[in-house]
Amino acid sequence: MAELLGTFEQSVLLAILGLGSEAYGRAVLNRVQEKLARDVAAGAVYATLERLEARGLVRSRLEAGTTVRGGRARRYYLLDAEGERALGDTRRALTAMWNNVQLPAQEG
Amino acid sequence: MSAQNSGPWRWSEALLERLLPETTRETIAGDLREEFVEGIEPKRGRLRAQWWYVRQVAGFIPWFAKEGRGMSKVLMTLSTVVLACAPWLAVMETILRHPGYAGRIAEAVGIAAICAATILAKMLHAGVVVERWLWLGAGALIVLGATAFLQNARAVHFEGFVMVISLLLVAQWVLMLATMGRKGGGSRPSVI
């Protein structure tokens, strides 16, 4: 089993998965904010992206920049097979952990 | 407002680029500029967008600190400079013998010892436990640095050398907190 992912790592990987070929830094940041329904520091997202790439869970490619970016390149991210496996493992582990668990406050 | 004359303050963009490693500098700065121009500024207005950008830049500081990007080298250099200055301070105090000189000699020796321990810990790649013990030394440095700074600022005879040393001690404290005693830096595995 691959190493289990933290909540924020899962959010970033799921954002990449959801965005498909449009998963570049800004889009990932916005998607994560939208899903978590809160402001997220850009630094946190980029640090996570870098860490995930170093662990081989995502890979990236560069594309030419636009005028609005001051000509700076865009880095697009793509989920790797290892990343997909890690997401699956984490989901299974979480589901198993929560199976038949009822929080005391929600009990009848 | 056109994309050409819109954009974050130059200094904040320059600061961001200074903080980022070369490999990600261009893409991250580009993403944030794009978000600023197309997302934040039209929604929140220019001034609030600038404030947003500054907060984003500040958000990169913990990352920069955690990864210890180049900061360990700066800490080593700074520790070496202070280590070289401390004996000189002790010798000068011994020669001048101003009131309270014995205490200041002891402080200079203490500072030299902390600097030497810091350099050794970094050179020998001492473990997290050893580095965490050095946080005690960091605590001593900030107390000494801040005290020396304040006393010198209030003193009748301002001493530039003491001011420089006190600022160096404060800088060393910041770097020690940022780079020492962290398990695996930013690359530590995360768990649920």
Side-chain angles (χ1 to χ4, degrees):
Chain A
M1 185 190 264
E3 193 175 2
L4 296 183
L5 301 163
T7 312
F8 199 72
E9 287 173 330
Q10 288 177 64
S11 310
V12 171
L13 285 175
L14 288 170
I16 294 171
L17 192 65
L19 287 161
S21 60
E22 289 303 309
Y24 72 102
R26 179 195 169 200
V28 173
L29 171 67
N30 286 337
R31 179 62 69 98
V32 169
Q33 290 189 137
E34 185 190 315
K35 291 288 179 188
L36 295 179
R38 63 177 169 90
D39 261 358
V40 170
V45 170
Y46 289 107
T48 305
L49 284 169
E50 196 180 63
R51 191 169 62 241
L52 293 172
E53 191 168 17
R55 285 166 61 186
L57 304 185
V58 298
R59 59 178 187 276
S60 69
R61 66 174 203 282
L62 284 176
E63 281 196 14
T66 54
T67 317
V68 76
R69 299 171 60 87
R72 296 176 177 97
R74 264 184 187 170
R75 186 178 292 277
Y76 285 88
Y77 293 89
L78 191 69
L79 202 64
D80 236 329
E82 194 59 36
E84 224 170 290
R85 194 161 32 247
L87 268 177
D89 286 348
T90 306
R91 185 183 187 171
R92 270 189 295 280
L94 281 172
T95 309
M97 266 184 355
W98 281 95
N99 196 23
N100 293 326
V101 173
Q102 188 113 40
L103 294 176
Q106 292 175 354
E107 277 175 0
Chain B
M1 197 177 280
S2 73
Q4 277 76 16
N5 60 17
S6 175
W9 286 320
R10 270 172 182 241
W11 66 265
S12 56
E13 206 165 27
L15 178 62
L16 176 70
E17 288 180 340
R18 295 279 303 175
L19 284 175
L20 295 170
E22 209 177 326
T23 46
T24 52
R25 187 174 298 154
E26 188 184 339
T27 51
I28 294 178
D31 281 351
L32 286 192
R33 172 174 267 271
E34 192 180 318
E35 179 67 4
F36 180 96
V37 174
E38 290 186 347
I40 306 296
E41 196 179 13
K43 271 191 229 156
R44 304 187 192 178
R46 185 150 179 77
L47 202 62
R48 289 181 70 187
Q50 296 292 5
W51 172 232
W52 171 86
Y53 194 90
V54 170
R55 279 189 292 124
Q56 297 307 314
V57 174
F60 278 95
I61 295 173
W63 178 26
F64 179 86
K66 253 191 220 169
E67 299 289 319
R69 294 177 193 282
M71 289 209 292
S72 286
K73 282 183 190 162
V74 179
L75 176 61
M76 287 277 277
T77 310
L78 201 57
S79 299
T80 309
V81 171
V82 177
L83 179 61
C85 291
W88 186 45
L89 204 63
V91 169
M92 290 302 287
E93 290 290 350
T94 311
I95 295 168
L96 296 172
R97 296 192 176 233
H98 288 149
Y101 76 96
R104 286 194 296 277
I105 290 172
E107 285 172 4
V109 171
I111 289 170
I114 295 165
C115 290
T118 305
I119 294 167
L120 280 175
K122 284 287 169 196
M123 278 173 69
L124 302 174
H125 301 289
V128 176
V129 177
V130 174
E131 291 201 342
R132 281 189 183 151
W133 274 104
L134 277 170
W135 280 5
L136 290 175
L141 289 185
I142 186 61
V143 170
L144 289 172
T147 310
F149 183 90
L150 292 173
Q151 283 180 351
N152 193 47
R154 289 190 202 128
V156 182
H157 302 290
F158 179 83
E159 292 183 68
F161 180 70
V162 174
M163 186 60 80
V164 171
I165 292 277
S166 64
L167 290 174
L168 287 178
L169 291 180
V170 173
Q172 198 177 341
W173 171 72
V174 171
L175 287 168
M176 282 176 85
L177 288 193
T179 63
M180 300 188 86
R182 291 179 190 279
K183 196 176 175 182
S187 57
R188 63 177 176 268
S190 51
V191 290
I192 292 173

